[in-house]
Amino acid sequence: SYQTSVRLQQPESQTNKDTFDITFVALDTNPSQTVTVQCQKKGPSDAGFVNFGSLITLSSGGNTDVCHVNSGVVQGDGTFQFKVIANGSTTNLESNIVTVNRNTTTPGDPVAYNKNKTNNCTYIITFTTANDSGKTVKVVLYRSDNRDFTSGNVQQVGEVNIGSNSNGSMTDNINPNCNTTYYYVIRAYDAYGNGSNYVGDSSVTTTIVNPTTTQQQGAIAGGTNGNVLGAENGGTKGVLGTESAKVTPKATAKNGRGNPISSSINWLLTHKKIDLLVLIILGAIAYYLYRRNKK
């Protein structure tokens, strides 16, 4: 007899997102049999599995598709389970269950931020991670040649895996741009991708850019142990972009005429008949002077 089979692929098991897809494959040994699939979820507030999304109809013999998860499906933090019910030659066939842990709480801000330029081409950034009960798993270092950190002029230049309440450091070699003044901020991240506030140089502001928000904020003070302190911010999460080149227009000569010598040469080259006349006149003067000296 004909049979239906179905299986879910495990998505990212730890996330801070409220929108993602769960891929499944549902097949039928009868090549002319249509297969339908219903997505189901069970969250912290659900007594059991409940349907979400529309009934998905696959081509004859089955196919692959996705259960689309959005903020209406995963609300709040916690453990969410997912499965699908397939109907084909086999009816009410349950898939395997996949589990996603969602967490949006941020790790603590690093403290004791300190920037030291050990030589003309090397900066060393030191810090201490927050005592946040294991939330911090890494710290990322960003730099810019402008105090105003925006998505167009910021570059990630370092990353270190580190736990809570630990001393850390990162070194940035700026060669061959040794004469450029750079500004820095750091940010702690947890296993779910949540970021702390930015901590860094004094008077630095950061424009935080993510798919939904853009907000101006400053960097949090690095603490009394740091020789460069910042100003407290509001703590909006986001993603910084990559460095972009700055283009300065070339200066032009006075009155827009450019280089006067080049302009004269170009004028002569474009007035060849006048050149010939000048040469004839100069030749005549030279001959006259020569004849007069002979006399």
Side-chain angles (χ1 to χ4, degrees), residues 10-119:
Q10 174 68 51
E12 188 176 9
S13 60
Q14 293 181 312
T15 187
N16 59 0
K17 301 173 183 176
D18 60 8
T19 301
F20 53 90
D21 290 333
I22 302 175
T23 302
F24 64 83
V25 177
L27 301 174
D28 202 287
T29 55
N30 182 354
S32 59
Q33 174 66 55
T34 299
V35 179
T36 61
V37 173
Q38 177 62 60
C39 302
Q40 294 188 335
K41 65 99 177 183
K42 180 182 178 183
S45 60
D46 298 319
F49 279 92
V50 294
N51 294 344
F52 71 92
S54 302
L55 186 67
I56 300 171
T57 301
L58 304 176
S59 57
S60 297
N63 208 331
T64 182
D65 211 319
V66 299
C67 294
H68 182 64
V69 179
N70 57 34
S71 58
V73 178
V74 289
Q75 297 179 341
D77 293 352
T79 299
F80 295 84
Q81 294 179 302
F82 300 91
K83 68 178 180 179
V84 299
I85 305 296
N87 278 283
S89 295
T90 307
T91 58
N92 296 323
L93 178 64
E94 294 188 7
S95 72
N96 58 307
I97 296 174
V98 297
T99 300
V100 174
N101 293 306
R102 183 170 186 260
N103 191 316
T104 57
T105 60
T106 61
D109 304 328
V111 297
Y113 170 90
N114 186 77
K115 179 176 76 173
N116 185 26
K117 194 172 186 181
T118 58
N119 58 56

Side-chain angles (χ1 to χ4, degrees), residues 175-233:
N175 187 52
N177 303 313
C178 298
N179 294 325
T180 301
T181 299
Y182 284 111
Y183 306 94
Y184 294 86
V185 293
I186 59 175
R187 193 183 197 194
Y189 288 88
D190 66 10
Y192 297 86
N194 299 302
S196 71
N197 292 306
Y198 292 91
V199 176
D201 292 358
S202 61
S203 302
V204 166
T205 58
T206 55
T207 300
I208 307 306
V209 180
N210 62 33
T212 57
T213 62
T214 300
Q215 182 171 340
Q216 188 89 2
Q217 66 179 38
I220 284 183
T224 56
N225 294 330
N227 60 11
V228 184
L229 302 179
E232 188 173 0
N233 66 21

Side-chain angles (χ1 to χ4, degrees), residues 128-132 136 163-167:
T128 300
T129 55
N131 187 6
D132 55 9
T136 296
S164 302
N165 197 28
S166 301
N167 296 324

